[in-house]
mmCIF file of all heavy atoms in Angstrom:
data_model
loop_
_atom_site.group_PDB
_atom_site.id
_atom_site.type_symbol
_atom_site.label_atom_id
_atom_site.label_comp_id
_atom_site.label_asym_id
_atom_site.label_seq_id
_atom_site.Cartn_x
_atom_site.Cartn_y
_atom_site.Cartn_z
ATOM 1 N N ALA A 1 -19.533 -25.323 -80.071
ATOM 2 C CA ALA A 1 -19.293 -23.993 -79.498
ATOM 3 C C ALA A 1 -19.172 -22.914 -80.568
ATOM 4 O O ALA A 1 -19.135 -21.726 -80.236
ATOM 5 C CB ALA A 1 -18.027 -24.012 -78.641
ATOM 6 N N ARG A 2 -19.121 -23.314 -81.837
ATOM 7 C CA ARG A 2 -18.894 -22.337 -82.897
ATOM 8 C C ARG A 2 -19.981 -21.263 -82.883
ATOM 9 O O ARG A 2 -21.171 -21.546 -82.921
ATOM 10 C CB ARG A 2 -18.893 -23.024 -84.266
ATOM 11 C CG ARG A 2 -18.561 -22.064 -85.390
ATOM 12 C CD ARG A 2 -18.491 -22.756 -86.735
ATOM 13 N NE ARG A 2 -18.191 -21.786 -87.774
ATOM 14 C CZ ARG A 2 -18.194 -22.061 -89.072
ATOM 15 N NH1 ARG A 2 -18.467 -23.281 -89.489
ATOM 16 N NH2 ARG A 2 -17.918 -21.119 -89.949
ATOM 17 N N GLY A 3 -19.557 -20.022 -82.806
ATOM 18 C CA GLY A 3 -20.479 -18.898 -82.782
ATOM 19 C C GLY A 3 -21.070 -18.588 -81.427
ATOM 20 O O GLY A 3 -21.754 -17.573 -81.268
ATOM 21 N N GLU A 4 -20.834 -19.450 -80.431
ATOM 22 C CA GLU A 4 -21.459 -19.271 -79.117
ATOM 23 C C GLU A 4 -20.497 -18.723 -78.070
ATOM 24 O O GLU A 4 -20.922 -18.369 -76.976
ATOM 25 C CB GLU A 4 -21.995 -20.625 -78.610
ATOM 26 C CG GLU A 4 -22.953 -21.342 -79.541
ATOM 27 C CD GLU A 4 -24.373 -20.821 -79.454
ATOM 28 O OE1 GLU A 4 -24.572 -19.704 -78.933
ATOM 29 O OE2 GLU A 4 -25.280 -21.530 -79.903
ATOM 30 N N VAL A 5 -19.226 -18.640 -78.388
ATOM 31 C CA VAL A 5 -18.218 -18.271 -77.389
ATOM 32 C C VAL A 5 -18.380 -16.808 -76.990
ATOM 33 O O VAL A 5 -18.342 -15.900 -77.828
ATOM 34 C CB VAL A 5 -16.799 -18.529 -77.927
ATOM 35 C CG1 VAL A 5 -15.746 -18.071 -76.911
ATOM 36 C CG2 VAL A 5 -16.612 -20.005 -78.267
ATOM 37 N N GLY A 6 -18.578 -16.575 -75.691
ATOM 38 C CA GLY A 6 -18.667 -15.213 -75.172
ATOM 39 C C GLY A 6 -19.943 -14.482 -75.513
ATOM 40 O O GLY A 6 -20.039 -13.269 -75.282
ATOM 41 N N LYS A 7 -20.978 -15.185 -76.017
ATOM 42 C CA LYS A 7 -22.183 -14.495 -76.478
ATOM 43 C C LYS A 7 -23.143 -14.153 -75.336
ATOM 44 O O LYS A 7 -23.580 -13.019 -75.211
ATOM 45 C CB LYS A 7 -22.900 -15.360 -77.523
ATOM 46 C CG LYS A 7 -22.279 -15.295 -78.918
ATOM 47 C CD LYS A 7 -22.430 -13.930 -79.547
ATOM 48 C CE LYS A 7 -22.083 -13.832 -81.012
ATOM 49 N NZ LYS A 7 -21.237 -14.827 -81.605
ATOM 50 N N VAL A 8 -23.531 -15.138 -74.535
ATOM 51 C CA VAL A 8 -24.505 -14.860 -73.478
ATOM 52 C C VAL A 8 -23.849 -14.821 -72.102
ATOM 53 O O VAL A 8 -24.528 -14.764 -71.079
ATOM 54 C CB VAL A 8 -25.649 -15.900 -73.486
ATOM 55 C CG1 VAL A 8 -26.367 -15.885 -74.815
ATOM 56 C CG2 VAL A 8 -25.133 -17.302 -73.174
ATOM 57 N N GLY A 9 -22.533 -14.857 -72.087
ATOM 58 C CA GLY A 9 -21.803 -14.821 -70.834
ATOM 59 C C GLY A 9 -20.324 -14.968 -71.114
ATOM 60 O O GLY A 9 -19.870 -14.907 -72.259
ATOM 61 N N VAL A 10 -19.582 -15.181 -70.060
ATOM 62 C CA VAL A 10 -18.125 -15.227 -70.175
ATOM 63 C C VAL A 10 -17.666 -16.671 -70.384
ATOM 64 O O VAL A 10 -18.167 -17.586 -69.730
ATOM 65 C CB VAL A 10 -17.464 -14.612 -68.916
ATOM 66 C CG1 VAL A 10 -17.913 -15.316 -67.641
ATOM 67 C CG2 VAL A 10 -15.961 -14.618 -69.032
ATOM 68 N N PRO A 11 -16.712 -16.917 -71.282
ATOM 69 C CA PRO A 11 -16.155 -18.258 -71.419
ATOM 70 C C PRO A 11 -15.115 -18.529 -70.339
ATOM 71 O O PRO A 11 -14.209 -17.725 -70.115
ATOM 72 C CB PRO A 11 -15.512 -18.236 -72.812
ATOM 73 C CG PRO A 11 -15.173 -16.807 -73.059
ATOM 74 C CD PRO A 11 -16.186 -15.987 -72.299
ATOM 75 N N VAL A 12 -15.243 -19.654 -69.666
ATOM 76 C CA VAL A 12 -14.258 -20.071 -68.669
ATOM 77 C C VAL A 12 -13.889 -21.516 -68.995
ATOM 78 O O VAL A 12 -14.640 -22.443 -68.707
ATOM 79 C CB VAL A 12 -14.805 -19.949 -67.235
ATOM 80 C CG1 VAL A 12 -13.796 -20.504 -66.241
ATOM 81 C CG2 VAL A 12 -15.109 -18.491 -66.914
ATOM 82 N N ALA A 13 -12.740 -21.694 -69.615
ATOM 83 C CA ALA A 13 -12.322 -23.015 -70.086
ATOM 84 C C ALA A 13 -11.301 -23.677 -69.169
ATOM 85 O O ALA A 13 -11.049 -24.869 -69.312
ATOM 86 C CB ALA A 13 -11.750 -22.914 -71.504
ATOM 87 N N HIS A 14 -10.719 -22.905 -68.226
ATOM 88 C CA HIS A 14 -9.666 -23.471 -67.384
ATOM 89 C C HIS A 14 -9.345 -22.488 -66.263
ATOM 90 O O HIS A 14 -9.917 -21.384 -66.192
ATOM 91 C CB HIS A 14 -8.410 -23.778 -68.202
ATOM 92 C CG HIS A 14 -7.976 -22.652 -69.091
ATOM 93 N ND1 HIS A 14 -7.370 -21.516 -68.607
ATOM 94 C CD2 HIS A 14 -8.085 -22.487 -70.438
ATOM 95 C CE1 HIS A 14 -7.114 -20.694 -69.610
ATOM 96 N NE2 HIS A 14 -7.535 -21.256 -70.724
ATOM 97 N N LEU A 15 -8.417 -22.871 -65.409
ATOM 98 C CA LEU A 15 -8.060 -22.064 -64.247
ATOM 99 C C LEU A 15 -7.559 -20.680 -64.651
ATOM 100 O O LEU A 15 -7.837 -19.687 -63.960
ATOM 101 C CB LEU A 15 -6.993 -22.794 -63.428
ATOM 102 C CG LEU A 15 -6.535 -22.129 -62.132
ATOM 103 C CD1 LEU A 15 -7.690 -21.944 -61.169
ATOM 104 C CD2 LEU A 15 -5.420 -22.958 -61.490
ATOM 105 N N GLY A 16 -6.839 -20.586 -65.763
ATOM 106 C CA GLY A 16 -6.344 -19.285 -66.204
ATOM 107 C C GLY A 16 -7.471 -18.315 -66.493
ATOM 108 O O GLY A 16 -7.381 -17.120 -66.179
ATOM 109 N N ASP A 17 -8.560 -18.803 -67.098
ATOM 110 C CA ASP A 17 -9.713 -17.945 -67.353
ATOM 111 C C ASP A 17 -10.353 -17.488 -66.049
ATOM 112 O O ASP A 17 -10.718 -16.314 -65.891
ATOM 113 C CB ASP A 17 -10.752 -18.683 -68.195
ATOM 114 C CG ASP A 17 -10.375 -18.794 -69.664
ATOM 115 O OD1 ASP A 17 -9.523 -18.015 -70.125
ATOM 116 O OD2 ASP A 17 -10.947 -19.665 -70.361
ATOM 117 N N MET A 18 -10.507 -18.396 -65.103
ATOM 118 C CA MET A 18 -11.123 -18.025 -63.824
ATOM 119 C C MET A 18 -10.231 -17.049 -63.069
ATOM 120 O O MET A 18 -10.722 -16.113 -62.419
ATOM 121 C CB MET A 18 -11.384 -19.278 -62.990
ATOM 122 C CG MET A 18 -12.222 -19.034 -61.743
ATOM 123 S SD MET A 18 -13.914 -18.486 -62.091
ATOM 124 C CE MET A 18 -14.799 -20.040 -61.985
ATOM 125 N N ARG A 19 -8.952 -17.241 -63.179
ATOM 126 C CA ARG A 19 -7.990 -16.321 -62.550
ATOM 127 C C ARG A 19 -8.149 -14.916 -63.134
ATOM 128 O O ARG A 19 -8.188 -13.917 -62.398
ATOM 129 C CB ARG A 19 -6.588 -16.862 -62.801
ATOM 130 C CG ARG A 19 -5.483 -16.228 -62.010
ATOM 131 C CD ARG A 19 -4.162 -16.855 -62.460
ATOM 132 N NE ARG A 19 -4.005 -18.238 -62.027
ATOM 133 C CZ ARG A 19 -3.395 -19.182 -62.741
ATOM 134 N NH1 ARG A 19 -2.876 -18.909 -63.924
ATOM 135 N NH2 ARG A 19 -3.279 -20.407 -62.259
ATOM 136 N N ALA A 20 -8.254 -14.828 -64.451
ATOM 137 C CA ALA A 20 -8.408 -13.529 -65.114
ATOM 138 C C ALA A 20 -9.758 -12.892 -64.788
ATOM 139 O O ALA A 20 -9.870 -11.673 -64.654
ATOM 140 C CB ALA A 20 -8.260 -13.696 -66.627
ATOM 141 N N LEU A 21 -10.793 -13.727 -64.650
ATOM 142 C CA LEU A 21 -12.135 -13.219 -64.388
ATOM 143 C C LEU A 21 -12.205 -12.464 -63.065
ATOM 144 O O LEU A 21 -12.915 -11.461 -62.943
ATOM 145 C CB LEU A 21 -13.129 -14.386 -64.384
ATOM 146 C CG LEU A 21 -14.607 -14.043 -64.251
ATOM 147 C CD1 LEU A 21 -15.092 -13.238 -65.442
ATOM 148 C CD2 LEU A 21 -15.440 -15.322 -64.106
ATOM 149 N N PHE A 22 -11.449 -12.928 -62.070
ATOM 150 C CA PHE A 22 -11.512 -12.312 -60.745
ATOM 151 C C PHE A 22 -10.209 -11.598 -60.368
ATOM 152 O O PHE A 22 -9.944 -11.371 -59.184
ATOM 153 C CB PHE A 22 -11.867 -13.367 -59.700
ATOM 154 C CG PHE A 22 -13.267 -13.890 -59.851
ATOM 155 C CD1 PHE A 22 -13.498 -15.183 -60.304
ATOM 156 C CD2 PHE A 22 -14.358 -13.088 -59.578
ATOM 157 C CE1 PHE A 22 -14.779 -15.673 -60.463
ATOM 158 C CE2 PHE A 22 -15.655 -13.565 -59.734
ATOM 159 C CZ PHE A 22 -15.862 -14.855 -60.181
ATOM 160 N N ASP A 23 -9.442 -11.224 -61.363
ATOM 161 C CA ASP A 23 -8.204 -10.489 -61.111
ATOM 162 C C ASP A 23 -8.493 -9.204 -60.334
ATOM 163 O O ASP A 23 -9.388 -8.423 -60.699
ATOM 164 C CB ASP A 23 -7.527 -10.163 -62.447
ATOM 165 C CG ASP A 23 -6.224 -9.423 -62.249
ATOM 166 O OD1 ASP A 23 -5.435 -9.817 -61.375
ATOM 167 O OD2 ASP A 23 -6.005 -8.427 -62.972
ATOM 168 N N ALA A 24 -7.758 -8.979 -59.253
ATOM 169 C CA ALA A 24 -7.884 -7.772 -58.415
ATOM 170 C C ALA A 24 -9.251 -7.654 -57.746
ATOM 171 O O ALA A 24 -9.629 -6.575 -57.289
ATOM 172 C CB ALA A 24 -7.582 -6.514 -59.225
ATOM 173 N N ILE A 25 -9.995 -8.745 -57.667
ATOM 174 C CA ILE A 25 -11.263 -8.786 -56.930
ATOM 175 C C ILE A 25 -11.078 -9.782 -55.784
ATOM 176 O O ILE A 25 -11.005 -10.988 -56.024
ATOM 177 C CB ILE A 25 -12.436 -9.209 -57.829
ATOM 178 C CG1 ILE A 25 -12.632 -8.207 -58.973
ATOM 179 C CG2 ILE A 25 -13.717 -9.341 -57.015
ATOM 180 C CD1 ILE A 25 -13.704 -8.617 -59.978
ATOM 181 N N PRO A 26 -10.957 -9.325 -54.569
ATOM 182 C CA PRO A 26 -10.682 -10.243 -53.441
ATOM 183 C C PRO A 26 -11.896 -11.123 -53.134
ATOM 184 O O PRO A 26 -12.905 -10.651 -52.606
ATOM 185 C CB PRO A 26 -10.356 -9.297 -52.282
ATOM 186 C CG PRO A 26 -11.010 -8.000 -52.653
ATOM 187 C CD PRO A 26 -11.017 -7.920 -54.144
ATOM 188 N N LEU A 27 -11.798 -12.392 -53.436
ATOM 189 C CA LEU A 27 -12.956 -13.278 -53.322
ATOM 190 C C LEU A 27 -13.399 -13.459 -51.880
ATOM 191 O O LEU A 27 -14.585 -13.709 -51.619
ATOM 192 C CB LEU A 27 -12.629 -14.628 -53.958
ATOM 193 C CG LEU A 27 -12.344 -14.584 -55.467
ATOM 194 C CD1 LEU A 27 -12.194 -15.989 -56.027
ATOM 195 C CD2 LEU A 27 -13.436 -13.838 -56.218
ATOM 196 N N GLU A 28 -12.482 -13.340 -50.941
ATOM 197 C CA GLU A 28 -12.861 -13.486 -49.532
ATOM 198 C C GLU A 28 -13.826 -12.386 -49.100
ATOM 199 O O GLU A 28 -14.584 -12.556 -48.141
ATOM 200 C CB GLU A 28 -11.601 -13.466 -48.663
ATOM 201 C CG GLU A 28 -11.835 -13.944 -47.243
ATOM 202 C CD GLU A 28 -10.542 -14.126 -46.471
ATOM 203 O OE1 GLU A 28 -9.495 -14.391 -47.110
ATOM 204 O OE2 GLU A 28 -10.567 -14.008 -45.242
ATOM 205 N N GLN A 29 -13.822 -11.248 -49.818
ATOM 206 C CA GLN A 29 -14.699 -10.138 -49.467
ATOM 207 C C GLN A 29 -15.968 -10.090 -50.320
ATOM 208 O O GLN A 29 -16.826 -9.238 -50.115
ATOM 209 C CB GLN A 29 -13.938 -8.814 -49.635
ATOM 210 C CG GLN A 29 -12.709 -8.696 -48.764
ATOM 211 C CD GLN A 29 -11.909 -7.444 -49.075
ATOM 212 O OE1 GLN A 29 -12.444 -6.436 -49.539
ATOM 213 N NE2 GLN A 29 -10.607 -7.497 -48.839
ATOM 214 N N MET A 30 -16.089 -10.971 -51.306
ATOM 215 C CA MET A 30 -17.190 -10.935 -52.253
ATOM 216 C C MET A 30 -18.333 -11.852 -51.820
ATOM 217 O O MET A 30 -18.152 -12.799 -51.064
ATOM 218 C CB MET A 30 -16.717 -11.388 -53.643
ATOM 219 C CG MET A 30 -15.901 -10.372 -54.420
ATOM 220 S SD MET A 30 -16.855 -8.879 -54.830
ATOM 221 C CE MET A 30 -16.150 -7.703 -53.670
ATOM 222 N N ASN A 31 -19.517 -11.551 -52.346
ATOM 223 C CA ASN A 31 -20.633 -12.492 -52.327
ATOM 224 C C ASN A 31 -20.958 -12.746 -53.795
ATOM 225 O O ASN A 31 -21.515 -11.895 -54.474
ATOM 226 C CB ASN A 31 -21.837 -11.912 -51.587
ATOM 227 C CG ASN A 31 -22.915 -12.964 -51.372
ATOM 228 O OD1 ASN A 31 -23.373 -13.599 -52.302
ATOM 229 N ND2 ASN A 31 -23.330 -13.140 -50.119
ATOM 230 N N THR A 32 -20.554 -13.912 -54.291
ATOM 231 C CA THR A 32 -20.584 -14.191 -55.723
ATOM 232 C C THR A 32 -21.646 -15.225 -56.049
ATOM 233 O O THR A 32 -21.638 -16.328 -55.499
ATOM 234 C CB THR A 32 -19.213 -14.718 -56.199
ATOM 235 O OG1 THR A 32 -18.202 -13.771 -55.862
ATOM 236 C CG2 THR A 32 -19.215 -14.948 -57.704
ATOM 237 N N SER A 33 -22.528 -14.869 -56.946
ATOM 238 C CA SER A 33 -23.525 -15.797 -57.458
ATOM 239 C C SER A 33 -23.085 -16.250 -58.843
ATOM 240 O O SER A 33 -22.802 -15.427 -59.714
ATOM 241 C CB SER A 33 -24.901 -15.122 -57.543
ATOM 242 O OG SER A 33 -25.819 -15.944 -58.226
ATOM 243 N N MET A 34 -23.003 -17.564 -59.034
ATOM 244 C CA MET A 34 -22.625 -18.093 -60.340
ATOM 245 C C MET A 34 -23.807 -18.875 -60.919
ATOM 246 O O MET A 34 -24.223 -19.892 -60.352
ATOM 247 C CB MET A 34 -21.379 -18.983 -60.229
ATOM 248 C CG MET A 34 -20.131 -18.209 -59.835
ATOM 249 S SD MET A 34 -18.594 -19.146 -60.035
ATOM 250 C CE MET A 34 -18.665 -20.233 -58.615
ATOM 251 N N THR A 35 -24.338 -18.366 -62.018
ATOM 252 C CA THR A 35 -25.470 -19.022 -62.668
ATOM 253 C C THR A 35 -24.933 -20.162 -63.520
ATOM 254 O O THR A 35 -24.659 -20.003 -64.710
ATOM 255 C CB THR A 35 -26.278 -18.022 -63.509
ATOM 256 O OG1 THR A 35 -26.713 -16.960 -62.656
ATOM 257 C CG2 THR A 35 -27.492 -18.687 -64.130
ATOM 258 N N ILE A 36 -24.767 -21.300 -62.882
ATOM 259 C CA ILE A 36 -24.155 -22.458 -63.532
ATOM 260 C C ILE A 36 -24.820 -23.708 -62.968
ATOM 261 O O ILE A 36 -25.124 -23.770 -61.775
ATOM 262 C CB ILE A 36 -22.622 -22.468 -63.300
ATOM 263 C CG1 ILE A 36 -21.917 -23.396 -64.271
ATOM 264 C CG2 ILE A 36 -22.272 -22.726 -61.859
ATOM 265 C CD1 ILE A 36 -21.903 -22.918 -65.699
ATOM 266 N N ASN A 37 -25.052 -24.682 -63.822
ATOM 267 C CA ASN A 37 -25.832 -25.843 -63.395
ATOM 268 C C ASN A 37 -25.122 -27.165 -63.683
ATOM 269 O O ASN A 37 -24.523 -27.750 -62.808
ATOM 270 C CB ASN A 37 -27.219 -25.783 -64.032
ATOM 271 C CG ASN A 37 -28.008 -24.590 -63.529
ATOM 272 O OD1 ASN A 37 -28.498 -24.595 -62.412
ATOM 273 N ND2 ASN A 37 -28.118 -23.535 -64.329
ATOM 274 N N ALA A 38 -25.135 -27.631 -64.917
ATOM 275 C CA ALA A 38 -24.536 -28.929 -65.222
ATOM 276 C C ALA A 38 -23.058 -28.974 -64.850
ATOM 277 O O ALA A 38 -22.554 -29.996 -64.389
ATOM 278 C CB ALA A 38 -24.719 -29.259 -66.702
ATOM 279 N N THR A 39 -22.358 -27.868 -65.057
ATOM 280 C CA THR A 39 -20.929 -27.813 -64.731
ATOM 281 C C THR A 39 -20.669 -27.090 -63.416
ATOM 282 O O THR A 39 -19.562 -26.618 -63.168
ATOM 283 C CB THR A 39 -20.146 -27.136 -65.875
ATOM 284 O OG1 THR A 39 -20.719 -25.852 -66.155
ATOM 285 C CG2 THR A 39 -20.175 -27.973 -67.145
ATOM 286 N N ALA A 40 -21.673 -27.020 -62.551
ATOM 287 C CA ALA A 40 -21.515 -26.318 -61.274
ATOM 288 C C ALA A 40 -20.377 -26.875 -60.426
ATOM 289 O O ALA A 40 -19.600 -26.095 -59.855
ATOM 290 C CB ALA A 40 -22.825 -26.341 -60.492
ATOM 291 N N PRO A 41 -20.198 -28.206 -60.300
ATOM 292 C CA PRO A 41 -19.065 -28.684 -59.495
ATOM 293 C C PRO A 41 -17.729 -28.188 -60.050
ATOM 294 O O PRO A 41 -16.815 -27.859 -59.278
ATOM 295 C CB PRO A 41 -19.177 -30.212 -59.605
ATOM 296 C CG PRO A 41 -20.594 -30.480 -59.968
ATOM 297 C CD PRO A 41 -21.026 -29.319 -60.806
ATOM 298 N N TRP A 42 -17.629 -28.115 -61.369
ATOM 299 C CA TRP A 42 -16.381 -27.702 -62.004
ATOM 300 C C TRP A 42 -16.111 -26.217 -61.791
ATOM 301 O O TRP A 42 -14.998 -25.821 -61.431
ATOM 302 C CB TRP A 42 -16.437 -28.032 -63.492
ATOM 303 C CG TRP A 42 -15.264 -27.542 -64.290
ATOM 304 C CD1 TRP A 42 -15.287 -26.654 -65.323
ATOM 305 C CD2 TRP A 42 -13.887 -27.920 -64.129
ATOM 306 N NE1 TRP A 42 -14.018 -26.448 -65.814
ATOM 307 C CE2 TRP A 42 -13.142 -27.219 -65.095
ATOM 308 C CE3 TRP A 42 -13.225 -28.780 -63.249
ATOM 309 C CZ2 TRP A 42 -11.759 -27.351 -65.208
ATOM 310 C CZ3 TRP A 42 -11.841 -28.912 -63.365
ATOM 311 C CH2 TRP A 42 -11.131 -28.209 -64.341
ATOM 312 N N LEU A 43 -17.120 -25.377 -62.002
ATOM 313 C CA LEU A 43 -16.903 -23.929 -61.838
ATOM 314 C C LEU A 43 -16.648 -23.577 -60.382
ATOM 315 O O LEU A 43 -15.840 -22.698 -60.082
ATOM 316 C CB LEU A 43 -18.099 -23.148 -62.397
ATOM 317 C CG LEU A 43 -18.024 -22.792 -63.889
ATOM 318 C CD1 LEU A 43 -16.855 -21.851 -64.155
ATOM 319 C CD2 LEU A 43 -17.919 -24.005 -64.780
ATOM 320 N N LEU A 44 -17.303 -24.269 -59.448
ATOM 321 C CA LEU A 44 -17.009 -24.037 -58.035
ATOM 322 C C LEU A 44 -15.592 -24.490 -57.721
ATOM 323 O O LEU A 44 -14.872 -23.833 -56.951
ATOM 324 C CB LEU A 44 -18.020 -24.766 -57.152
ATOM 325 C CG LEU A 44 -17.827 -24.597 -55.646
ATOM 326 C CD1 LEU A 44 -17.865 -23.125 -55.236
ATOM 327 C CD2 LEU A 44 -18.885 -25.395 -54.871
ATOM 328 N N ALA A 45 -15.155 -25.591 -58.332
ATOM 329 C CA ALA A 45 -13.775 -26.056 -58.130
ATOM 330 C C ALA A 45 -12.771 -25.016 -58.605
ATOM 331 O O ALA A 45 -11.773 -24.726 -57.929
ATOM 332 C CB ALA A 45 -13.564 -27.380 -58.864
ATOM 333 N N LEU A 46 -13.018 -24.433 -59.775
ATOM 334 C CA LEU A 46 -12.138 -23.380 -60.287
ATOM 335 C C LEU A 46 -12.142 -22.161 -59.364
ATOM 336 O O LEU A 46 -11.091 -21.542 -59.120
ATOM 337 C CB LEU A 46 -12.570 -22.975 -61.701
ATOM 338 C CG LEU A 46 -12.342 -23.999 -62.821
ATOM 339 C CD1 LEU A 46 -13.052 -23.548 -64.100
ATOM 340 C CD2 LEU A 46 -10.854 -24.188 -63.091
#
C-alpha cells in the first residue's frame, strides 16, 4: 500500500472509515454506486 493510500480513491480500512465517509449523508435517501470488486462483500457489509 506504500504510496497508494488515498491516491485513486478513498481509503476505507474499517467501520470507522465508512462511518466518516457517509457522515451526515442519510443512506436511506441515497442511491450509492460503489466501484468495488474483489472486496465488494466487505464494503457492502460496512
Side-chain angles (χ1 to χ4, degrees):
R2 184 177 179 187
E4 305 279 17
V5 177
K7 281 293 191 339
V8 301
V10 57
V12 175
H14 48 74
L15 183 60
D17 284 341
M18 189 64 97
R19 192 183 289 145
L21 185 64
F22 292 109
D23 181 44
I25 299 175
L27 297 187
E28 194 171 333
Q29 300 174 27
M30 284 296 106
N31 189 305
T32 304
S33 171
M34 293 192 284
T35 303
I36 197 70
N37 295 285
T39 54
W42 175 241
L43 272 296
L44 180 58
L46 290 170

